[in-house]
Structure formats: C-alpha cells, structure tokens
Amino acid sequence: SLIRTITLGDEEIETNLILQLFSDRIFISITQLSGKVGSLLLCNVEESIVDNSTTYNVRTLLGTGVSSRGGGGGGEREVSMREVFVRRLAERIVIHTRKMAGVSETTILGGAEDGTGPIAPLLVGVGLKPGCSNLSVESFNVLVDAAMELYQDGWKMSHASGMVGMEGPD
C-alpha cells in the first residue's frame, strides 16, 4: 500500500489517499472522513478495435453519495461529481497504460479475449466531507493529479526489477 496526505482548498482540508494494486483490481481510497471509505465506486474500461472506441462504465457499489445530514438537495450533484472523478481518474490511468505500452495516447489496446479492458477494474472509495459538490475545479484537478501521481508511483514499484512489489493477496 502507498499512502499520501494532501490538503485541499482555502480551508486546508486534510485528504488521505491510499493505493493498493492487486493482480485483478486497482483500489484507490480518497477520504476526508478520518479513514472512512465513504461511497465505493467501480469503473470498468472496455475498448473496441472494431469502432476504435473506449467505454467507461462507472457504477456505485456502496453508499449513495448523498449525505443524510443537512438536506439541501445537492445529493445528485455529489453523486455525479464522484462518478466524474472516477471516470477522469480511469481515463488518466488508461493514458498511462498506453504510454507504458509504448503506443500513443489514442491507440486502442483492445484488451484480452476474456473481455477485460486495457486496465484492471478500478475500485475507488470516495469519502469527501459534505458539500463536495461545491468542490472547485482547481481542487477537483488537485485530487485527480494526486491520485494519479500515487498510482504512477505504485506502478513503478510494482514493475521495478521484475518484482511484483505492490500486489496483494488474492
């Protein structure tokens, strides 16, 4: 596991990022809730060499993403923000995978015959403080960049000198 802590926004909200690479999954947790996972989202990426397309399927596995505290009607925005965050992170990981394969950012890798995509399924725990739908574009990008930097560091460790490194038990 790799762990990072960053601060976000003017209020300097402490945000913890955790990465765990498994042989069949990528797990990233982003939390401001004292280590609680919050909502758990899964993103599967599929590529088609037939029509040269990449499809990102994001779904919430646990949690609604809507805080029961405070009402306010921003729940749907919070859910959408989390889904956009996970998709953006998956897009960046796919681009990284293509670069590491020695092809251009737009080259379709096609995945395996068993239907798996260019990356293992991405499981993301998002536990942001209530009101995350008001997250600024700058803070959103800082979160994506920090998660991506953590992923790249983990990828380097797991591929260094032929070592498995970060793989956990299956």
Side-chain angles (χ1 to χ4, degrees):
S1 293
L2 287 179
I3 301 172
R4 297 266 163 75
T5 301
I6 62 170
T7 54
L8 276 182
D10 295 334
E11 297 117 24
E12 296 189 4
I13 300 170
E14 187 174 282
T15 306
N16 295 307
L17 293 95
I18 301 167
L19 169 74
Q20 182 69 51
L21 298 177
F22 297 95
S23 61
D24 65 342
R25 297 272 186 276
I26 302 166
F27 175 73
I28 298 176
S29 174
I30 296 112
T31 184
Q32 298 170 337
L33 305 174
S34 303
K36 295 177 184 170
V37 173
S39 295
L40 198 58
L41 295 97
L42 177 67
C43 182
N44 289 302
V45 182
E46 298 171 2
E47 291 185 328
S48 171
I49 56 174
V50 174
D51 64 357
N52 202 36
S53 66
T54 304
T55 304
Y56 298 85
N57 298 307
V58 179
R59 63 187 170 116
T60 302
L61 299 178
L62 293 173
T64 61
V66 180
S67 173
S68 60
R69 296 168 273 165
E76 287 184 27
R77 281 188 65 191
E78 288 187 30
V79 171
S80 295
M81 191 284 305
R82 286 178 174 92
E83 289 175 355
V84 169
F85 176 81
V86 171
R87 173 172 172 149
R88 183 66 186 126
L89 186 55
E91 290 171 342
R92 297 268 307 267
I93 292 173
V94 167
I95 289 170
H96 176 265
T97 300
R98 290 174 179 158
K99 285 181 181 177
M100 295 301 104
V103 299
S104 79
E105 292 181 7
T106 58
T107 299
I108 299 297
L109 297 174
E113 289 181 17
D114 64 0
T116 58
I119 64 170
L122 176 63
L123 190 60
V124 182
V126 183
L128 302 180
K129 291 192 175 188
C132 72
S133 61
N134 297 326
L135 195 66
S136 70
V137 172
E138 181 181 341
S139 291
F140 180 90
N141 288 331
V142 165
L143 270 178
V144 171
D145 290 345
M148 192 59 207
E149 183 179 309
L150 186 66
Y151 172 79
Q152 289 172 333
D153 289 349
W155 188 92
K156 286 176 192 171
M157 285 178 61
S158 69
H159 289 82
S161 304
M163 293 175 26
V164 176
M166 292 276 302
E167 249 178 53
D170 289 331

